[in-house]
Amino acid sequence: MKEFRPMELNFATPTTFQDRLVPKGKRLAGWAALVYGLGIAAPVRAVSTVAGGHIKGSHRAEGDWTIFDKRYWPGDSVADHISFALRHEQFDPLVLKRVFDAVDPDVIAEFVRKAPTGTVARRLWFFYESMTGKRLPIDDAPTVTATEALDPKTYVTAKPVVSKRHRVRDNLLGAGSYCPVIRRTSALEEYGARALSTKAAETLGRTSGQLVARAASFLLLADSRASFAIEGERPPHNRLERWGRAVLQAGKNPLTLDELNRLHGVLIEDTRFIRAGLRPDGAFLGERDENGDPLPEFIGARPDDLPDLLDGLLAANDRMSASGIDPVLQATATAFGFVYVHPYQDGNGRLHRCLIHHVLAERDFTPQGMVFPVSSVMLDRIDDYRHTLQGHSGPLMPFIDWRPTADRNVEVLNETTDLYRYFDCTDEAEFLYSCVARTVEHDLPEEIDYLRRHDEAQRRIMEAVEMPDRLAQDLIMFIRQNNGKLPKRRREKEFAALTDEEAAHIEAICEEVFSDGGG
């Protein structure tokens, strides 16, 4: 048997790391040390160093960095820094997987052999075999208390299944083929405590069925319009209605590849110029130069990788659902993972937002027959939405090698599958939860309140002057659009039959009904 020699990271700490200035007098540690020392192609989103002296409180934040006390220096070997990362840093499955690809399996095996009952060793062993699909030449773990793959107090976790070989409770949201991560933050805990699904049900419970149906119709149309507007489109009404019907069906069919393709077919009816089903070529988001060549801000997964990635995504969605994960967090991991993979030639953004509705409906978070206008909120907060998407995609772009194709598309030249398999979507979860909170606590009750006031104004107008419903509705619309006054042009045309007293009375009705912030 060959003698094992620890793999060491012998390097001088650089002055910069991934466009960040390294704090003076500090040494890279954990994920950053592994990425730099092994030449790994992956972004490190939470970076750490160890100081040469003592740090009050053991560690502190300094800009983008977490700086640890000198007592935390792990050592010079790869195993030392892996241990540091798993003990003290945010779990980063992308970096960990690429470390596994970069080191000899003996490095991992020897780490486990030295401490076969240690929690860090067993977790690392479990992650290695789950992510790589390779079995290390190690006997099954001794009978000890199983440890958690991820700490449930720090991460959102699935219902655990014990891996007897490793004595690890597998509580990941996905698996080795696709594994999103969501950290527990004060913002997410606060959103969860607000019981938004219950609030929505209570709001509707205080409202007549007829008014609820009208509110649902208006909110569905608003969401459909906004979803297209985000993509810079103004589709004809029949296309909006068709898409609205598809959104309203969200959650009624299991989420499978066939269901994704069906929804894509509803969205893209004319397939003369857009291929139905998974794309056979590259996909990018961005602009083009003066010659029409691509200037990508982000590039989707390689076409050959799409089936496997989507299988993993759908399996993770099923696991989260079976585990009773908070529906908004499940919707985040599924819908944002989908849009990053970008599996279709067109329509990925709208399908991504439809998947949010699908998960919320399937998990009974959304009241039956109701669609929260999440897309409307995203449109209102379009800069925040784009910043959230770019916060994930931007750091990945330096690690995607590509070239323009003859048809002015993109071709990815390197292995990128892991960039889409493993991602932290905590920021996305906070953003989506804030959108859902606004729809439940403001948009839904305000829409119902508006409809109540509108009905009251219409009833009183028609008591004062006999006219068709549609004309009374137009009157209300024109008056509200003109700051409480019937526009002169309208007064002289379709409403010329009104006396001055009647027109003034109708304006007064609208002022009274829609005052106090009701409109």
Side-chain angles (χ1 to χ4, degrees):
M1 183 175 178
K2 68 178 181 180
E3 179 185 0
F4 175 78
R5 295 181 179 179
M7 186 175 182
E8 295 193 348
L9 295 174
N10 293 319
F11 63 86
T13 293
T15 57
T16 62
F17 173 76
Q18 295 188 352
D19 297 327
R20 302 175 177 96
L21 282 173
V22 178
K24 289 184 179 180
K26 314 299 188 296
R27 289 185 285 180
L28 296 181
W31 300 129
L34 291 162
V35 166
Y36 183 79
L38 297 173
I40 288 171
V44 180
R45 297 174 188 267
V47 285
S48 298
T49 61
V50 173
H54 292 295
I55 299 292
K56 184 178 181 180
S58 298
H59 61 84
R60 71 167 186 265
E62 186 175 299
D64 292 335
W65 298 85
T66 299
I67 301 177
F68 288 84
D69 186 276
K70 70 175 184 178
R71 295 169 298 165
Y72 282 77
W73 179 247
D76 296 318
S77 74
V78 167
D80 291 334
H81 286 275
I82 292 176
S83 179
F84 176 93
L86 291 179
R87 290 177 186 274
H88 304 299
E89 295 190 284
Q90 295 175 11
F91 181 60
D92 193 326
L94 171 59
V95 173
L96 184 59
K97 170 58 165 57
R98 296 217 151 168
V99 169
F100 291 152
D101 292 340
V103 303
D104 190 309
D106 284 346
V107 172
I108 309 301
E110 185 64 17
F111 184 93
V112 177
R113 291 190 190 104
K114 284 184 176 180
T117 61
T119 58
V120 173
R122 283 182 284 136
R123 289 173 63 217
L124 180 63
W125 180 16
F126 165 75
F127 291 138
Y128 181 87
E129 294 192 347
S130 298
M131 290 180 170
T132 67
K134 300 175 182 177
R135 186 180 177 92
L136 292 172
I138 303 173
D139 292 336
D140 291 355
T143 303
V144 293
T145 302
T147 187
E148 306 282 357
L150 294 181
D151 181 359
K153 295 179 181 179
T154 305
Y155 298 92
V156 176
T157 53
K159 184 178 179 180
V161 177
V162 175
S163 169
K164 294 181 179 179
R165 171 163 166 76
H166 312 94
R167 301 301 300 165
V168 168
R169 291 164 60 84
D170 176 5
N171 57 8
L172 301 176
L173 299 183
S177 60
Y178 181 88
C179 189
V181 174
I182 302 176
R183 289 171 281 110
R184 294 191 181 278
T185 65
S186 57
L188 290 180
E189 295 296 306
E190 191 272 333
Y191 282 128
R194 281 155 76 170
L196 296 172
S197 180
T198 301
K199 281 187 179 180
E202 290 173 349
T203 298
L204 298 182
R206 298 189 296 266
T207 307
S208 70
Q210 184 262 353
L211 207 59
V212 167
R214 288 171 59 204
S217 179
F218 279 114
L219 293 176
L220 174 62
L221 181 59
D223 187 85
S224 298
R225 281 177 174 160
S227 196
F228 280 90
I230 289 171
E231 308 299 327
E233 294 187 35
R234 297 182 63 182
H237 197 73
N238 63 337
R239 193 175 175 208
L240 271 177
E241 288 183 337
R242 188 173 72 248
W243 181 241
R245 287 194 297 270
V247 171
L248 202 56
Q249 295 170 9
K252 294 183 178 179
N253 299 322
L255 190 58
T256 63
L257 182 56
D258 286 343
E259 176 65 1
L260 288 174
N261 287 333
R262 184 189 74 82
L263 288 170
H264 187 252
V266 173
L267 177 63
I268 309 295
E269 190 176 41
D270 186 346
T271 58
R272 291 176 298 169
F273 304 105
I274 299 172
R275 182 188 178 94
L278 302 183
R279 56 182 167 79
D281 49 9
F284 74 95
L285 297 174
E287 303 296 333
R288 295 182 182 275
D289 64 18
E290 63 277 8
N291 298 316
D293 289 326
L295 297 172
E297 294 180 4
F298 185 60
I299 294 175
R302 298 181 304 177
D304 290 347
D305 297 333
L306 296 176
D308 188 50
L309 285 169
L310 288 178
D311 282 348
L313 181 151
L314 294 170
N317 181 69
D318 289 344
R319 181 173 194 187
M320 287 185 281
S321 183
S323 298
I325 298 299
D326 181 312
V328 179
L329 303 186
Q330 179 185 336
T332 300
T334 299
F336 280 87
F338 172 89
V339 81
Y340 296 144
V341 172
H342 233 67
Y344 297 101
Q345 285 187 333
D346 190 30
N348 294 285
R350 278 151 290 179
L351 279 176
H352 143 76
R353 291 182 289 277
C354 185
L355 288 181
I356 295 171
H357 296 307
H358 179 100
V359 173
L360 297 184
E362 187 175 54
R363 294 289 310 283
D364 295 323
F365 185 91
T366 310
Q368 188 172 6
M370 179 65 65
V371 169
F372 293 155
V374 174
S375 298
S376 299
V377 182
M378 290 177 169
L379 182 60
D380 286 347
R381 299 179 56 194
I382 192 65
D383 289 341
D384 293 336
Y385 183 32
R386 287 174 177 158
H387 179 76
T388 300
L389 292 169
Q390 292 166 356
H392 172 81
S393 62
L396 297 179
M397 277 301 294
F399 306 100
I400 301 176
D401 295 331
W402 63 278
R403 66 184 176 195
T405 62
D407 59 355
R408 294 174 176 173
N409 199 343
V410 296
E411 179 186 3
V412 175
L413 304 175
N414 63 323
E415 171 59 55
T416 61
T417 319
D418 290 344
L419 302 183
Y420 308 93
R421 288 193 197 281
Y422 309 116
F423 64 104
D424 185 311
C425 53
T426 306
D427 291 344
E428 291 90 330
E430 290 184 348
F431 173 75
L432 180 57
Y433 232 136
S434 71
C435 293
V436 171
R438 202 192 92 172
T439 67
V440 172
E441 296 177 339
H442 299 283
D443 294 5
L444 177 58
E446 285 178 4
E447 181 64 30
I448 290 173
D449 182 62
Y450 170 78
L451 290 175
R452 282 199 183 106
R453 292 174 185 253
H454 184 279
D455 289 354
E456 172 67 9
Q458 183 176 332
R459 180 187 63 78
R460 290 175 59 181
I461 288 170
M462 293 176 68
E463 285 178 353
V465 181
E466 289 189 36
M467 64 177 68
D469 289 357
R470 172 52 61 190
L471 208 58
Q473 292 166 7
D474 287 347
L475 251 179
I476 295 170
M477 178 180 66
F478 295 142
I479 290 171
R480 285 179 52 72
Q481 287 177 344
N482 196 47
N483 298 317
K485 297 294 182 182
L486 182 60
K488 182 178 179 182
R489 183 169 63 87
R490 301 290 183 182
R491 176 74 179 83
E492 293 173 350
K493 293 182 69 176
E494 51 262 68
F495 298 105
L498 290 176
T499 66
D500 290 343
E501 291 76 11
E502 288 171 333
H505 181 54
I506 290 170
E507 290 172 348
I509 289 172
C510 290
E511 170 64 24
E512 182 180 341
V513 170
F514 289 105
S515 62
D516 302 320

